[in-house]
Amino acid sequence: MTEVGVIIVSYNTRSELEACLRALEAHPPGRSHEVTVVDNGSADGSPALVRAGWPGVRLIETGANLGFARAVNAGLRATESRLVLLLNSDAVLPAGALDQLTAVLDEDPTVTAVGPRLVDDEGRLEISFGPMLSPFNELWQKLLVVGHGRRFGPLSWMARRRAERRRDVDWVSGACLLARRAAVDAVGRLDERFFLYTEDVDLCASLRAQGGRVVYVPDVEVRHHRGRSRRHDPAGARTAYRRSHLAFYAKHPPRWRPLLKLYLRLRGELPTGDV
C-alpha cells in the first residue's frame, strides 16, 4: 500500500495549482506517495494543465463545484494509502515538510492528525489552529485574527506566541492536514453537509471523539496563498460560509444554532431556505 496519498481539491486556481504541483515534484516525500487532483468544474484550464504537465498525477473531474468535503471524499474513494494529506491547491510544501509531518504520526500512535504552521505570501503567520468552535471561542479567535492582521501589538504578539510551540489542539486547518486514513474512514470521512468551511473543524472533532489526538506542528512551515478560490465568487463564498456555519452548530452542539440564526437574520445574512 502507498504510504501517503496527497489529495488536492482545485477550483479555478490554475496558477496556484501549478505552483503546488511543481513544489511536490521538486521536493517529493521520501516514502511512497501518490498525488490526486480533484477538479471541481474549473473553467480556467486546470484539468488540461494537470493532464499535460503531470501525467503521473491522478485527475478526477467532478464536472461541477461539489464543494470541498464531497471533492475530498471522491479523492478518498479513488485512492488507497496509509496516510492522507489534504492539501489546498493554493498551498506550497517546502522540502522535507511532508516527511516531518509523517514522522510525528509515526512517533506516536495516539496522534491521528497533524497540521503545520501556515504563513501567507509575505511569510506572516496565519492562525491555522484553535479551540473547538463555540460563540465565545469564535469571538476570541476572530479578535486574534483581526488583531494580528492589523498588527495590533498585544493581540499580534499573543497570536505569534501561541504559534511558537507544538501543542495538542482541537483542530488544524484543512489547507494542509495529514491524517491516518483508517481514522478518517472510521469516522465516515468528511461530512458532506459542509460545502465549504468548518469541514476541517468537524473532521478533527470526529477524530478526537474516537480518542485520537490532533497536533499543531510549528516546526513545519507551509506557505498558503489564501483565498484564491473565493475571489471568483465572493458572494457565493460568503453564503457557503454561512450555510456551513449553521450546519456546524446543528451538530456541535445544536443549542447554539437558534442564537446564530437570530444573529444572521438581524444582520440580513441568513441564507435563503434557512428559517
Side-chain angles (χ1 to χ4, degrees):
M1 178 184 290
T2 302
E3 280 288 290
V4 184
V6 181
I7 297 178
I8 304 168
V9 176
S10 176
Y11 178 60
N12 290 323
T13 55
R14 187 181 188 279
S15 60
E16 290 78 19
L17 176 62
E18 182 175 10
C20 178
L21 291 173
R22 287 197 184 282
L24 283 167
E25 183 179 52
H27 312 298
R31 56 192 70 202
S32 62
H33 66 284
E34 61 178 358
V35 179
T36 298
V37 172
V38 183
D39 187 81
N40 258 344
S42 295
D44 63 351
S46 293
L49 168 77
V50 176
R51 283 192 294 268
W54 288 272
V57 169
R58 178 186 288 103
L59 174 64
I60 299 173
E61 295 183 73
T62 66
N65 187 5
L66 304 183
F68 185 76
R70 288 181 66 188
V72 168
N73 286 346
L76 288 170
R77 287 192 297 269
T79 60
E80 292 184 2
S81 59
R82 186 176 69 88
L83 306 176
V84 59
L85 176 71
L86 308 187
L87 184 66
N88 275 18
S89 59
D90 56 6
V92 176
L93 288 178
L98 187 47
D99 287 327
Q100 288 176 270
L101 292 175
T102 301
V104 177
L105 291 177
D106 289 343
E107 291 164 3
D108 191 337
T110 68
V111 179
T112 54
V114 294
R117 172 188 177 97
L118 296 182
V119 297
D120 64 15
D121 295 346
E122 300 175 356
R124 297 188 66 239
L125 173 71
E126 177 181 313
I127 299 175
S128 59
F129 66 92
M132 185 61 176
L133 296 191
S134 72
F136 306 106
N137 286 340
E138 280 199 85
L139 177 61
W140 173 238
Q141 191 85 351
K142 187 166 290 188
L143 284 173
L144 277 181
V145 170
V146 172
H148 178 62
R150 296 180 178 177
R151 293 177 168 82
F152 178 67
L155 289 176
S156 186
W157 174 85
M158 187 173 296
R160 294 194 306 273
R161 182 69 180 271
R162 288 173 70 244
E164 286 176 353
R165 67 179 180 86
R166 182 181 300 193
R167 61 173 69 203
D168 282 40
V169 294
D170 286 346
W171 60 269
V172 291
S173 171
C176 184
L177 186 159
L178 181 69
R180 302 184 192 277
R181 179 185 288 265
V184 173
D185 288 344
V187 300
R189 300 173 179 164
L190 275 67
D191 189 331
E192 296 184 2
R193 285 178 290 181
F194 303 106
F195 182 85
L196 188 65
Y197 304 109
T198 71
E199 64 284 305
D200 45 8
V201 183
D202 176 72
L203 174 62
C204 289
S206 297
L207 295 174
R208 289 187 296 102
Q210 294 294 320
R213 293 167 52 212
V214 177
V215 175
Y216 163 71
V217 185
D219 315 62
V220 182
E221 186 173 284
V222 171
R223 192 168 293 269
H224 183 208
H225 306 289
R226 188 175 185 176
R228 295 301 199 264
S229 291
R230 292 198 301 269
R231 68 187 177 189
H232 299 284
D233 184 13
R238 284 194 297 272
T239 299
Y241 170 73
R242 294 305 184 194
R243 290 194 183 281
S244 290
H245 210 181
L246 287 163
F248 186 90
Y249 278 119
K251 187 176 178 181
H252 303 288
R255 69 174 181 272
W256 293 117
R257 192 170 190 269
L259 181 62
L260 176 60
K261 288 180 68 173
L262 176 61
Y263 169 76
L264 294 177
R265 185 177 291 112
L266 291 173
R267 289 177 59 92
E269 296 178 2
L270 186 66
T272 303
D274 283 286
V275 294

